[in-house]
Amino acid sequence: MSEIKLKGTPLSPGLSYGYAFTYKTIPFEQRNIVIKTKDVEKELSRLKDAIKKTRESLEKLKDRTKKKLGEEKAGIIEAHMLMLEDPMFIQEIENTIKEGHSAEDAVYTATMKIKKMFEDIPDPYLRERAADVEDVGSRLFRNLLGAKDLESIGREESTIVVASDLAPSELIAISGNNVVGLVLLHGGPTSHMAIIAKSLDLPAVSGIDINTISDNNIIIIDGTKGEVTINPSPETLSQVKRKVEELKKEQEEAMSLKDAPAITSDGFKLKLWGNIAHPNEVSSVLSFGGKGIGLFRTEFLFMNRNNPPSEDEQFEAYSKALAEMNPNPVVIRTMDAGGDKEIFYLNIPKEDNPFLGYRAIRIGITEEGLLLTQLRALLRSATYGNLYIMFPMISSLWEVKRAKDLLRKAARQLKEEGIEQGSAKIGIMIEIPSAALMADELAKEVDFFSIGTNDLTQYTLAVDRGNAKISRWYDHLHPAVLKLIDMTAKAAKKHKIELGMCGEMAGDPLALPILIGMEFDELSMSPPAIPKIKRLTRKTSLGRAKEITQKVLLMKDATEVRTFLEEMTSQL
């Protein structure tokens, strides 16, 4: 077969090659297939085989989860396995088959019935089991249809997963299983799937016609350029193998500087921190030489459950991250729900433009109890380390003042109840153009700014960051975005507050000279990006970075900016 090269959207940087593993998402839904009486035994036999296969795949997943995330998280998979032994669940499926329904429809009907029973239980712990029932039911459903499970990836050879889309949980399930890359149809460069792919150091490209790829095709994926090569020629594959080895050596060189400071050749000190979504990820930041957490995305504690986490549950998560990173800072962002991060128990009505709708701080200052509980947990956890509290999606001055009022209220409550609490620095995300334009006034109210370039770019350029079809319009190096960042940086320096960045731009090597030139105090990124950014920082100078920044701010086109920065960084 001849070599085919496809151009898509870069999601996660890196270069890799391997064999294709095609994965198709199958909706878990009623198929309305009626069977004859003579086929009942056949359907029961199919069910028995599917249960056996599901149990085996869960056993493998439990072992991997235990190795990667520990005994506690493996217990979740253990609960799923026990569900397969539940007489009520299995009997309900068998009875539905005997009533003349296919095994697939019987699994769906029984799953939804028992899920509803759990959802109606007053006890919150038991209510959460509803999600476990649906997970087990959907696994059985896929196995009945003969669909491949991601857990079935078990090749010794390097594997590239090819799929329409992947949920973050699915991506985590396959990580470390000899998967070296992702080729997807859907997904934008700042989607949560892309963010997790970066944290796992997995090259990924979206916007690819996956129907052109078959199982076991050899694939080359360039996540930096957004290119996918199918059935490469021996010459192309040889060149890529050499390049992969070169990149490994570069990474080893960067890792050798893990414990060295991120300081320019003329003495400018830059703090490099990591982004996390769970306290267990603190160790990853430390392993890559990060000296703090610049973004703890707390909304992931609120997702995939039937009720919000309690104050004590949140306190445990926050205090664990703070204690492990102590005395280095941990920036914990209050819940940034809404947009592409659905939390079903909030009962947010479907919106035509969810990214412009009821989300983040707008939920927090409306659903005061939700934010107040989180702020109480944060203040309690502050005794364990160096806490920074950050409010997201700020567009106006009154929102900051209202959020601070709620923080003071939380502190008063804890004091009156005699509960120990600590202190924290207070900051906001600059991710809406109005906040950047109002930065001079907002800086008077807070201790730090952290620029969220993912949303700032999206809102400035009116480009949906999750839409691969219009991704070429999305560019954080657009002159308009850079001018807003410069405006924010100047306001922070004027009022002598800390200036950071936690968007994907923070880990972009091309953007580094600009960010040094604007004298950012800290950059927070996906942990695997830290060593490379540190190595490049030590190769540049503040003086040279300022010269580059001045020239860039006069440019009128993103392509001009990008071409110029590529030339400048190639000289480092």
Side-chain angles (χ1 to χ4, degrees):
M1 295 179 67
S2 59
E3 177 177 300
I4 302 171
K5 184 169 283 189
L6 303 174
K7 180 70 176 175
T9 300
L11 294 186
S12 178
L15 182 68
S16 65
Y17 57 91
Y19 291 90
F21 177 95
T22 58
Y23 174 75
K24 292 183 179 179
T25 302
I26 296 176
F28 186 35
E29 61 188 12
Q30 194 84 24
R31 297 166 70 87
N32 297 314
I33 298 174
V34 178
I35 63 169
K36 297 177 180 178
T37 305
K38 67 181 180 65
D39 293 325
V40 167
E41 287 304 319
K42 178 184 174 184
E43 293 298 291
L44 289 172
S45 177
R46 289 180 64 230
L47 173 65
K48 183 178 179 181
D49 291 342
I51 291 172
K52 181 175 182 289
K53 187 174 181 180
T54 304
R55 186 184 298 110
E56 290 170 353
S57 67
L58 284 172
E59 187 70 52
K60 291 178 184 177
L61 181 57
K62 185 186 81 170
D63 291 342
R64 284 207 301 275
T65 304
K66 184 176 179 180
K67 290 175 184 175
K68 287 194 291 184
L69 300 176
E71 191 77 46
E72 182 183 350
K73 294 294 183 293
I76 297 172
I77 310 302
E78 181 72 37
H80 290 186
M81 295 174 68
L82 290 173
M83 183 62 65
L84 285 174
E85 311 296 334
D86 188 327
M88 181 176 70
F89 182 51
I90 302 302
Q91 190 65 53
E92 185 69 34
I93 299 172
E94 291 177 347
N95 288 343
T96 306
I97 290 174
K98 291 173 184 176
E99 290 171 2
H101 299 279
S102 69
E104 290 87 348
D105 284 344
V107 166
Y108 177 82
T109 302
T111 300
M112 293 300 109
K113 181 177 179 180
I114 295 175
K115 178 189 174 188
K116 180 69 167 56
M117 288 170 57
F118 275 103
E119 288 174 338
D120 291 341
I121 295 173
D123 183 270
Y125 175 80
L126 291 175
R127 275 205 309 272
E128 289 178 14
R129 303 286 70 78
D132 295 333
V133 174
E134 185 167 12
D135 189 291
V136 172
S138 63
R139 286 175 181 275
L140 267 176
F141 190 84
R142 286 185 61 85
N143 283 328
L144 279 165
L145 292 170
K148 290 187 294 187
D149 273 330
L150 285 169
E151 288 85 3
S152 67
I153 300 175
R155 290 191 178 109
E156 293 182 4
E157 304 96 340
S158 298
T159 301
I160 292 177
V161 174
V162 179
S164 176
D165 197 3
L166 287 177
S169 59
E170 291 176 316
L171 181 50
I172 293 169
I174 63 173
S175 64
N177 200 24
N178 225 14
V179 173
V180 297
L182 307 170
V183 176
L184 305 172
L185 175 61
H186 302 294
T190 54
S191 64
H192 285 102
M193 194 285 306
I195 290 168
I196 292 173
K198 285 173 185 154
S199 71
L200 295 171
D201 206 17
L202 274 179
V205 175
S206 71
I208 297 295
D209 180 5
I210 60 174
N211 292 321
T212 60
I213 303 172
S214 302
D215 262 340
N216 297 315
N217 279 157
I218 296 177
I219 296 177
I220 295 170
I221 175 171
D222 188 329
T224 306
K225 295 180 179 179
E227 294 178 349
V228 173
T229 305
I230 307 168
N231 298 317
S233 67
E235 294 78 12
T236 300
L237 187 58
S238 179
Q239 290 171 6
V240 167
K241 287 181 177 180
R242 285 195 299 269
K243 183 63 177 176
V244 167
E245 289 304 312
E246 290 173 11
L247 291 172
K248 283 181 181 177
K249 289 177 182 177
E250 284 183 16
Q251 181 69 358
E252 288 170 3
E253 179 191 342
M255 284 300 292
S256 70
L257 300 170
K258 180 174 77 74
D259 298 319
I263 184 169
T264 64
S265 58
D266 52 356
F268 175 75
K269 294 180 180 178
L270 183 64
K271 289 174 276 190
L272 300 181
W273 298 350
N275 297 339
I276 66 171
H278 191 279
N280 287 346
E281 297 170 23
V282 171
S283 58
S284 175
V285 176
L286 292 169
S287 71
F288 284 105
K291 302 301 181 184
I293 302 297
L295 175 62
F296 184 156
R297 302 181 181 93
T298 61
E299 54 273 12
F300 287 97
L301 299 175
F302 291 76
M303 296 168 69
N304 299 318
R305 52 191 300 155
N306 296 312
N307 57 305
S310 67
E311 180 181 320
D312 286 343
E313 187 179 346
Q314 292 185 61
F315 164 72
E316 289 178 13
Y318 307 149
S319 58
K320 180 179 179 181
L322 283 158
E324 190 170 351
M325 188 52 75
N326 196 31
N328 296 318
V330 177
V331 181
I332 301 183
R333 181 176 69 186
T334 59
M335 185 185 69
D336 185 12
D340 61 344
K341 291 168 281 191
E342 291 186 87
I343 297 181
F344 296 104
Y345 54 79
L346 293 180
N347 296 315
I348 300 173
K350 185 173 176 59
E351 299 174 306
D352 291 335
N353 295 297
F355 278 102
L356 301 179
Y358 188 51
R359 60 173 292 203
I361 196 64
R362 297 169 183 177
I363 296 175
I365 59 181
T366 304
E367 312 278 345
E368 286 189 9
L370 205 62
L371 181 55
L372 200 59
T373 298
Q374 184 170 32
L375 293 174
R376 284 172 56 99
L378 286 167
L379 289 172
R380 287 171 58 194
S381 70
T383 59
Y384 286 78
N386 188 1
L387 174 64
Y388 288 43
I389 297 175
M390 181 164 68
F391 297 108
M393 193 75 178
I394 296 296
S395 62
S396 303
L397 187 61
W398 73 268
E399 293 168 326
V400 181
K401 292 182 176 180
R402 182 64 189 133
K404 289 170 67 178
D405 285 344
L406 286 171
L407 183 62
R408 284 189 286 267
K409 182 177 180 180
R412 284 196 306 272
Q413 288 181 351
L414 292 173
K415 185 177 180 180
E416 290 167 1
E417 295 167 21
I419 298 174
E420 186 180 10
Q421 61 180 294
S423 59
K425 290 189 176 182
I426 308 303
I428 59 173
M429 288 191 75
I430 303 292
E431 52 187 338
I432 298 177
S434 64
L437 294 168
M438 288 285 293
D440 192 55
E441 293 300 318
L442 292 170
K444 299 172 186 176
E445 295 289 331
V446 296
D447 302 310
F448 69 94
F449 284 157
S450 184
I451 300 179
T453 54
N454 301 348
D455 272 340
L456 183 62
T457 303
Q458 169 174 247
Y459 294 135
T460 302
L461 303 180
V463 177
D464 179 356
R465 62 188 175 97
N467 188 338
K469 192 171 185 178
I470 57 173
S471 62
R472 65 190 177 108
W473 279 274
Y474 180 97
D475 194 336
H476 53 232
L477 295 177
H478 190 288
V481 178
L482 297 179
K483 283 180 171 60
L484 290 174
I485 293 172
D486 183 52
M487 186 181 297
T488 304
K490 286 174 177 172
K493 294 303 172 187
K494 175 183 174 182
H495 294 280
K496 298 180 180 178
I497 67 170
E498 291 181 52
L499 175 65
M501 179 178 285
C502 60
E504 293 304 304
M505 184 178 180
D508 182 357
L510 289 184
L512 182 62
I514 304 173
L515 304 181
I516 291 175
M518 292 179 183
E519 296 187 55
F520 272 73
D521 296 300
E522 59 90 359
L523 302 177
S524 189
M525 61 203 71
S526 174
I530 294 173
K532 184 173 184 178
I533 295 298
K534 182 181 290 186
R535 182 173 67 88
L536 292 174
T537 298
R538 292 171 62 88
K539 287 186 173 185
T540 193
S541 68
L542 177 61
R544 180 63 177 141
K546 282 184 173 294
E547 291 175 6
I548 291 171
T549 303
Q550 288 172 0
K551 290 180 180 179
V552 164
L553 289 173
L554 295 174
M555 294 179 181
K556 301 174 183 178
D557 180 79
T559 303
E560 182 186 5
V561 172
R562 192 167 286 278
T563 301
F564 175 69
L565 291 175
E566 285 173 352
E567 182 183 347
M568 292 300 100
T569 53
S570 68
Q571 297 172 12
L572 295 179

